[in-house]
Amino acid sequence: MHKNAGSENNSYEFILDCNDITKQYGGTQALNGVQLKLKKGQVHALIGENGAGKSTLMKIIGGLVQPNSGTVFFEGKHYQAKSPVEAINAGIAMIHQELNPQPYLSIAESIFLNREDNYKNIPILNKKATNERAVKVLKKFNISLNPKIHMEHLTLAQIQMIEIVKAVSTNARLILMDEPTSSLDSEETEHLFNTIRDLQSKGVTIVYISHRMDEIFDVCDSYSVFRDGSFIDSGNISDVTKNDLISLMVGRVVKNIFPKVECSIHDVVFRAEKLCGKGFKDISFEVHAGEILGITGLVGSGRSETMESIFGLNPLNSGKMYLYEKEIRIKNVRDAMDKGIAMINEDRKEYGLCLFRSITENISLPSLRKKHKGILINQKKEKEECNEIASKLSIKMANIKTDAFSLSGGNQQKVVVAKWLMDRPELIILDEPTRGVDVGAKAEIHSLMCQFAAEGMAIIMVSSELPEVMGMSDRILIYHEGSLNGEITRSEILSGKENQETILKKEFGGR
Amino acid sequence: MKQERIQVQKVNLLKMDQHDLNIFMKRYGIGFVLLGMFIVLSVASPRFLTVLNLSNVLTTVSINGLLAMGMVFVITAGGIDLSIGSMLALGSVTIGLIMNATGSIFLACAGSIIICALFGLVNGFLVAKFDMFPFVVTLASMLVIRGVSYVMSGGYSFALAKPEFAQIGLGKLFGAIPFPALIFVIITLMAFVLLQLTKFGRYVYAVGGNIKSATASGVNVLWTRIGTFVIMGICAGTAAIIMTARINAAQPNIGTGYEVDAIAACVIGGTSFSGGISTIPGTFIGVMIIGLIFNGMNLIGISSYWQIIMKGLLIIAAVMMDKFINRKN
C-alpha cells in the first residue's frame, strides 16, 4: 500500500538510479558494473555474502569512496558526491554499522553539529534555541529524551535513533543503513522497524543492508542481490522466498580448485569443552593431528573471538581446554605459545606485522625467546633461519632486510605464516588466511596448509569464504550468533549431501 | 659505462648492495648534515678542528648525550619522559647527601643511579600497567621528583665533602680524554648493543612499531615498556653524576628544560615520534649536531640566542624529513 507513495508526481522513475558502477582496489575488483535502482518511499534490501560489494556501493553513494566508472542519478539529476558533506547536502544520509558518537556532546549538539544556532548577529552559541529545535525533531519520532543529555549516557539503540533523527533533520530523502540491527536486541530492533515504517510513510527511501533474512522479510519491499562484486537480480520481496534469496546469493558452483591433499588423521591434539567468552558460548570441539578443521559463520558470529580466547588474546569466561588430553590453562599469548599453539590473526596489519620493521625482525619476533639463549641475538643464525623459511615459503622480496610494508598482501601474509613456523607448533589457527591475497598466493598458502597437516600438525582454519572452507576442510563447524550450529564432514560435501546453500542456511540459523 | 663501474665499486667498498645503501641513507642521512657542519665550521674557524675543541664538544654534549641515549629507548617504545630534568636535580641532591654522610664517592654515585632508576620504574609502571599517557604521567612525576629534591635538600645547594669528586667532571684519562666524554661514549656503545643487538631491544622496536602485533607475538609488553623507563632513569642518574661533579656542589634547582634537548637529539637523529623507528648512531649524530650548533656559533661569534632558534628550526626540518621518509604511513 505504501509502496508507491506519490511517485507518479515526479518526473523520474527511480529516486536513485546507479548504472555500471565499477570500483577497483589495487588489483581486486570490488564492484563490476553493478546497478541499483530504488523507487521513492521504498525500503530496499541490499543482500549478498561477505565481500559481495554491498558496503563499497554504499560508500560510493555516501561520498566516502569514488567509483572508477559508472553513473548515478539522484532524484533525476546527475549525482556525484566527493565527500560525505556533499552527500548530506544532496539529501543522502548514511547510518554506519559502527556508530561513532561524540561522547561529550549533548543530544541537541550532536544532531545540529555544524548547524548550530547563534544569537542574532553575534557569533555566540544560542544553546536554548538549539535545544528547542532538538525537542521539535525528537518529538516527530516520539523520542522523549532530554536533549541536554550527553551522548555517552545513551544505549547503542538510542545513539542509532539519534543518528536517524539527525539524518532526517538534514532533510535526507535517502537513508543508507548498513547492518543497523547488528548490535540491537529484539525489542530495540522492533522499535527501529517502527521508525523505518514511519520514515517510509513520510516518503523517505531507505537502503537496508542486513544478513538477517527474517528482518528483510519483515521490513523491506524490494531487494537487490550482489555476488562477487556483480549485480545478480532484483525484484519485490513479496515475489520470493528466503531460500530463493540464499540461492541467488550463493549462485555459483564451487569453481575454485583447491589443492587439498588427503592426509591420514591421527589422535586428538586439541579439545575445547564448553568455552564461553565475549561473543560466544558453549563452544565444544576437537581437532586431530593431520586434520584441517574449517570454521565458518557470518562476520560477527563469534568465530574469531573464540580463536582469540584460545590463543590468550582475550579472556575466557568459562570452559576447559585440553592439549593431548591434558588440561591446559592459557592466560596470555606466551602461555599459548609455550603449549605449542600458534595463531595467524585475521587482521594482518593490526595483529600480524610491524609494517615498518624488516622482514627478518617480523619473522623472528615470536621465536626469539626460545631460539636465542642469553640476551644477545645471534644475528647470523637469525638471518640464516629467516632466509631459509622465506625461501621455503617462497616469499618474494628484494631483501630480507626490507620493511614488511614493501611486500604485496600475499607475501605479507606469508611472512606472518613464517613467524609461526619458526617454532614448530602443535596446533595452528589460521583466521582468514587468504583475505586480501591474490589468487596465486592463495593457492600457495593452501598447499602450505596441506603440508602442515601432512607433517602432523592440527589446523584450524576460520574463513568466511565458503568455497575455501569446503575445498580445504576435513570437517566444518558452523557458527550462528555465538554458538555452533552444525558440523559437516568432508564426505558429506564430496557426496553432495551438503553444499553452499545448506551451509549458508545454517549460518543464518537454519537447521 | 665507466660511471657505472665506479658506482658499483663504491657500493662494494661499503660492503653494501644498492638496497642496503637505501636503508643506510634512510637511517643515517642526517649524518651528512653533521658532515656539512663539520666542513663549514672547519673552514670558518681555525680553532674548530683541534683535539682540544673537539674533546670540549664531547664534554659539553655528554650530559645531553646520556639523557638522549635513555630517551631514545622510551620514544622507540612509543613513550616520552619529561621528568628527566628533575631527575638530574634529585640525583645531584642524593649524591651530596650520601657523600656527606658516608664519605664514599662510589656509594654516592650508585645512590644517584638507583634512585633515578626507581623513579623510572614508577613512571614505567604507571604508563604500562594502567595504560596512562606517558606525557601526563611524566609531567606529574616531573613535579613530584623536583619537589622531593627540594624537600631532601631543604631547598639549598650545598658543598660536597670530597673535593676529588670534581675530577669526574674535570679529569682526563691519560691526560687526553675527558671523563664525561668517555662515559658518554661507553654508554652510547652499551645503548647500541642493548637496542640493536639484544632480544630486549628487538622487543622495544616491536612494542613501539605495533603494540598489538607485539602482544599477539608473545612479547612481554608490560616489562618491555617499564624497562625503557628504567633505562632512562639509569641514564639520568649517570648524567646527574657528571653534572654534579662539574658544578662541584649538590643543587636541587638544576636540570630544568633538559628533557627538551634530549628529545630534540632523538628526533633530529631520526627517531620516529610514533615509535618503532630509531637508531643509536642516529641519536649520537643528533646529539653532536645540537652540540655543534652551540660550539660552532660560539666559535664564529654569532649571538647565542640564534642557537636556540636554529635548534628549533632543525627539529622541524628533522620531523619533516621523518614524515617525508615515512609518508607511506
Side-chain angles (χ1 to χ4, degrees), chain B residues 67-69 71-72 75 261-272 282-283 286:
Chain B
L67 296 176
M69 286 307 154
M71 188 65 82
V72 69
I75 298 180
D261 274 8
I263 296 168
C266 292
V267 172
I268 291 171
T271 307
S272 163
T283 309

Side-chain angles (χ1 to χ4, degrees), chain A residues 50 54-56 58-59 64 94-101 156-157 159-160 163 176-184 207 209-212 298-301:
Chain A
N50 301 324
K54 301 164 296 188
S55 295
T56 308
M58 290 303 101
K59 283 178 188 162
L64 291 161
M94 192 162 171
I95 314 287
H96 294 271
Q97 188 179 1
E98 304 286 334
L99 298 164
N100 286 312
L156 273 175
I159 293 171
Q160 200 173 47
E163 285 288 321
L176 315 173
M177 297 186 180
D178 194 352
E179 302 216 34
T181 55
S182 59
S183 47
L184 303 188
V207 176
I209 296 183
S210 179
H211 279 305
R212 302 182 181 172
L298 297 169
V299 169
S301 59

Side-chain angles (χ1 to χ4, degrees), chain A residues 99-268:
Chain A
L99 298 164
N100 286 312
Q102 290 279 342
Y104 310 116
L105 291 186
S106 72
I107 293 178
E109 285 163 342
S110 304
I111 296 176
F112 295 107
L113 190 61
N114 211 14
R115 294 178 290 145
E116 293 84 355
D117 298 280
N118 282 341
Y119 287 104
K120 218 179 200 172
N121 302 327
I122 324 170
I124 288 176
L125 290 178
N126 184 348
K127 289 198 174 187
K128 206 175 153 213
T130 307
N131 285 338
E132 280 166 8
R133 265 166 84 200
V135 171
K136 261 184 222 162
V137 292
L138 289 172
K139 214 170 190 176
K140 276 193 202 163
F141 288 90
N142 293 321
I143 299 172
S144 53
L145 288 168
N146 183 341
K148 289 177 196 164
I149 297 175
H150 279 190
M151 296 296 281
E152 59 174 333
H153 300 301
L154 303 185
T155 64
L156 273 175
Q158 286 171 328
I159 293 171
Q160 200 173 47
M161 287 303 301
I162 299 300
E163 285 288 321
I164 293 170
V165 169
K166 185 177 177 177
V168 174
S169 76
T170 60
N171 190 28
R173 277 93 68 203
L174 173 63
I175 300 180
L176 315 173
M177 297 186 180
D178 194 352
E179 302 216 34
T181 55
S182 59
S183 47
L184 303 188
D185 63 31
S186 53
E187 199 180 320
E188 289 167 337
T189 304
E190 199 41 55
H191 191 72
L192 176 70
F193 287 176
N194 288 333
T195 309
I196 289 177
R197 290 183 191 110
D198 188 35
L199 287 170
Q200 200 174 18
S201 69
K202 291 182 174 112
V204 177
T205 313
I206 289 165
V207 176
Y208 188 89
I209 296 183
S210 179
H211 279 305
R212 302 182 181 172
M213 284 292 155
D214 295 333
E215 293 178 1
I216 289 168
F217 280 84
D218 214 350
V219 78
C220 298
D221 308 306
S222 54
Y223 68 88
S224 289
V225 180
F226 282 14
R227 185 203 310 153
D228 295 338
S230 300
F231 170 81
I232 300 299
D233 193 18
S234 68
N236 288 326
I237 288 285
S238 51
D239 300 338
V240 288
T241 64
K242 278 181 208 175
N243 285 351
D244 290 342
L245 286 184
I246 288 179
S247 309
L248 285 171
M249 279 162 66
V250 180
R252 61 190 129 86
V253 279
V254 184
K255 57 175 182 273
N256 310 41
I257 298 153
F258 293 89
K260 167 80 180 153
V261 181
E262 307 291 339
C263 303
S264 53
I265 291 170
H266 306 281
D267 300 343
V268 174

Side-chain angles (χ1 to χ4, degrees), chain B residues 195-233:
Chain B
L195 187 61
Q196 297 186 225
L197 301 179
T198 66
K199 292 192 233 177
F200 171 76
R202 197 58 73 70
Y203 295 155
V204 171
Y205 281 121
V207 167
N210 182 349
I211 195 163
K212 283 182 182 168
S213 149
T215 311
S217 299
V219 173
N220 194 328
V221 171
L222 178 76
W223 281 103
T224 305
R225 292 180 86 188
I226 292 177
T228 61
F229 281 93
V230 173
I231 290 166
M232 178 75 257

Side-chain angles (χ1 to χ4, degrees), chain B residues 114-152:
Chain B
I114 290 169
I115 198 160
C116 289
L118 278 176
F119 272 101
L121 182 78
V122 173
N123 278 340
F125 188 76
L126 291 174
V127 168
K129 183 74 186 172
F130 303 109
D131 209 16
M132 292 160 83
F133 287 111
F135 190 97
V136 180
V137 168
T138 59
L139 185 76
S141 62
M142 174 174 96
L143 299 172
V144 171
I145 297 170
R146 177 70 63 184
V148 168
S149 37
Y150 278 122
V151 169
M152 280 167 63

Side-chain angles (χ1 to χ4, degrees), chain A residues 311 333-334 349-351 353 356-357 361 364 369 372 374-375 377 379 382 401-403 405 419-420, chain B residues 19-20 23 26 196-199 202-203 205-206 210 212-213 215-218 220 276-277 328-329:
Chain A
F311 192 53
V333 174
R334 257 162 297 137
K349 293 198 169 85
E350 284 259 295
Y351 287 95
L353 295 169
F356 295 102
R357 302 305 306 178
E361 286 182 35
S364 64
R369 218 155 38 97
H372 300 263
I375 61 163
I377 296 170
Q379 307 273 335
E382 180 188 33
K401 276 182 265 172
T402 6
D403 290 356
F405 181 87
K419 272 174 82 161
W420 295 106
Chain B
H19 181 79
D20 287 345
I23 293 182
K26 207 169 100 178
Q196 297 186 225
L197 301 179
T198 66
K199 292 192 233 177
R202 197 58 73 70
Y203 295 155
Y205 281 121
N210 182 349
K212 283 182 182 168
S213 149
T215 311
S217 299
N220 194 328
I277 299 173
K328 39 199 178 181
N329 258 328

Side-chain angles (χ1 to χ4, degrees), chain B residues 166-198:
Chain B
Q167 281 305 309
I168 294 180
L170 297 173
K172 292 178 176 180
L173 185 70
F174 310 129
I177 310 161
F179 283 128
L182 188 68
I183 295 172
F184 171 42
V185 171
I186 291 173
I187 293 279
T188 302
L189 290 174
M190 285 168 65
F192 177 77
V193 172
L194 190 56
L195 187 61
Q196 297 186 225
L197 301 179
T198 66

